[in-house]
Amino acid sequence: MHAPSTLSAKQIQHLRHTIMQWQTQHGRHDLPWQQSPSAYSVHVSEIMLQQTQVSTVIPYFERWMQRFPSLDALASASEDDVMAQWQGLGYYSRARNLRKAAAHVIAEHGGEYPDCLQALQAIPGVGRYTAGAIRSFALQQYGPIVDGNVKRLYARLFGIDGEPNSSAFNRTLWQLAEQLTPHNASHIYSQGVLDLGATVCTKSQPKCSECPVQSECVAHATGRIEQLPNPKKKREKPFRVGHFSWHQPNQHIHLVKRSSPGIWGGLWCLPELPDAPKDAELAGEFIHQFTHYTLHAKVWRASTPQHLSVKDDNSVGYLATQLFDLNQLDQTGLPTPIKQFIQDRIALKRHT
DNA sequence: AATCCGTGGGT
DNA sequence: TACCCAAGGAT
């Protein structure tokens, strides 16, 4: 892998200054989580922003801070309440971990977030990136960060020609972040690299003419902007069939709570069956695209509740089970396609 | 190290 | 349309 040699002190100073000045003048300052940030609000926003675009997160963040305005409010909430608030955001282990994290900070740190990176990373769901982000944005202390934006920016700026997500590639990026991040006003630099990656050094059609570090950019100088960072190897997406049961006695729907870890863990869902039931009537079916596989869901009518459900390890077991009023589903965390299916069917029935 | 974990925006 | 991938972390 082609990696840059160690940066000179002069290079570091120049890049820091240029990026920080650009952030002050052209960076983002109006995002909801940038207004009077606390360790808690920064923590919440950073977890929500993992693998999720800013525009998607904003309404969830606003609702979350209304519903769980403090660490104590979150820690004392039920898992079902938390999952219902997270409904639709995906990667639901983030929500389960966020609730655990609130209890962790209260139990281990008396309700005050720790300020060292090591202790921050011991919080459930907080890794190297999020720990650095909390240090930078909430505590305004030295907190290097490497995320997708930073990887793209550094890969182009320094001409890093490595296998994406390989350990060598990641090690190089983190070394650069540690060198470049200043110990004073770390939050401005960190926000600067995020904003630069998100608004200028974009994945496609980057705005190099607006870039403050264009003249230092290896990829721009060598005409490799479109090649860097190198594309990830794509894998074949498998196709899976899932069988679900539909039991709907008098305006109620029978749901089971899915186990975690596992897909849709912690959410309420139509009971998943190990196989297609014999002599059952098909209530409906749908296709759902996950990142790793395509799900063909078949939903079968059941005259009796199906307490048995397929667990994550493919075994069959008894899970928590409950009848939900069809008008109550808005306050319940269901997988998005399942909720969609149920609501479509209810709407359909009303018209026939 | 490789795989799993959701959903939706952008092109 | 189909594909990439987004303020990553856990196992």
Side-chain angles (χ1 to χ4, degrees):
Chain A
M1 182 187 77
H2 181 269
S5 50
T6 311
L7 301 173
S8 71
K10 192 175 175 182
Q11 266 182 299
I12 291 173
Q13 291 300 335
H14 176 71
L15 288 171
R16 275 181 188 165
H17 176 76
T18 306
I19 290 172
M20 291 169 83
Q21 192 170 55
W22 178 87
Q23 204 290 321
T24 303
Q25 293 177 359
H26 303 288
R28 294 173 290 186
H29 302 273
D30 298 324
L31 296 170
W33 41 89
Q34 292 177 307
Q35 317 311 316
S36 62
S38 66
Y40 171 67
S41 67
V42 170
H43 182 193
V44 170
S45 66
E46 291 300 338
I47 300 298
M48 287 186 171
L49 286 161
Q50 289 172 8
Q51 301 294 284
T52 311
Q53 294 185 350
V54 167
S55 61
T56 302
V57 166
I58 288 175
Y60 281 89
F61 177 79
E62 304 277 22
R63 283 197 298 270
W64 186 279
M65 295 307 289
Q66 290 287 325
R67 178 66 184 80
F68 309 118
S70 67
L71 211 48
D72 284 329
L74 177 56
S76 59
S78 72
E79 185 179 276
D80 280 352
D81 277 350
V82 169
M83 299 312 287
Q85 286 297 315
W86 202 271
Q87 140 103 59
L89 257 190
Y91 286 154
Y92 296 94
S93 68
R94 295 184 294 173
R96 299 192 305 269
N97 278 333
L98 197 45
R99 178 165 169 274
K100 285 183 199 163
H104 174 96
V105 173
I106 290 169
E108 303 294 327
H109 304 288
E112 294 289 327
Y113 278 78
D115 66 351
C116 82
L117 287 170
Q118 192 178 1
L120 285 168
Q121 280 195 68
I123 298 172
V126 175
R128 194 171 179 181
Y129 165 81
T130 304
I134 293 175
R135 282 265 298 188
S136 266
F137 301 134
L139 310 174
Q140 305 198 350
Q141 295 180 37
Y142 175 74
I145 56 170
V146 173
D147 77 326
N149 291 302
V150 177
K151 285 181 181 176
R152 188 171 55 253
L153 175 66
Y154 289 174
R156 288 171 174 165
L157 183 54
F158 301 110
I160 303 170
D161 205 355
E163 173 71 24
N165 292 331
S166 68
S167 56
F169 183 72
N170 286 335
R171 187 163 51 246
T172 299
L173 291 165
W174 276 102
Q175 281 176 358
L176 286 166
E178 287 172 348
Q179 292 179 69
L180 286 163
T181 302
H183 286 259
N184 291 327
S186 166
H187 62 291
I188 299 180
Y189 178 82
S190 293
Q191 190 64 51
V193 289
L194 290 181
D195 292 348
L196 208 44
T199 67
V200 174
C201 195
T202 49
K203 175 183 50 160
S204 61
Q205 300 181 343
K207 305 176 177 69
C208 294
S209 63
E210 300 176 21
C211 181
V213 291
Q214 187 204 97
S215 59
E216 348 280 335
C217 182
V218 172
H220 187 264
T222 58
R224 294 204 299 153
I225 286 288
E226 298 293 340
Q227 281 73 48
L228 295 177
N230 289 335
K232 294 168 191 160
K233 286 182 288 192
K234 54 181 172 187
R235 293 191 343 224
E236 191 177 348
K237 188 190 276 193
F239 192 87
R240 300 182 193 173
V241 178
H243 300 282
F244 298 87
S245 115
W246 178 285
H247 178 57
Q248 186 198 344
N250 47 42
Q251 293 309 303
H252 285 64
I253 186 85
H254 178 79
L255 302 178
V256 297
K257 190 176 167 94
R258 294 185 66 98
S259 58
S260 53
I263 192 79
W264 296 334
L267 296 181
W268 290 87
C269 185
L270 296 173
E272 188 173 355
L273 310 170
D275 220 327
K278 291 177 181 175
D279 302 327
E281 180 191 351
L282 194 61
E285 54 191 325
F286 61 86
I287 305 288
H288 183 69
Q289 299 289 344
F290 289 104
T291 303
H292 293 84
Y293 62 95
T294 299
L295 173 68
H296 182 181
K298 290 171 176 275
V299 183
W300 303 94
R301 287 188 197 286
S303 53
T304 58
Q306 304 293 309
H307 295 275
L308 284 171
S309 196
V310 177
K311 296 167 72 174
D312 183 50
D313 60 0
N314 224 17
S315 69
V316 176
Y318 292 92
L319 301 176
T321 184
Q322 196 173 314
L323 281 172
F324 286 86
D325 188 316
L326 290 173
N327 300 316
Q328 180 191 347
L329 294 184
D330 281 343
Q331 301 106 49
T332 310
L334 275 71
T336 295
I338 298 288
K339 188 169 194 174
Q340 180 88 51
F341 178 84
I342 292 174
Q343 288 176 338
D344 285 353
R345 269 195 53 80
I346 301 307
L348 193 66
K349 204 165 186 176
R350 259 188 218 117
H351 291 296
T352 55

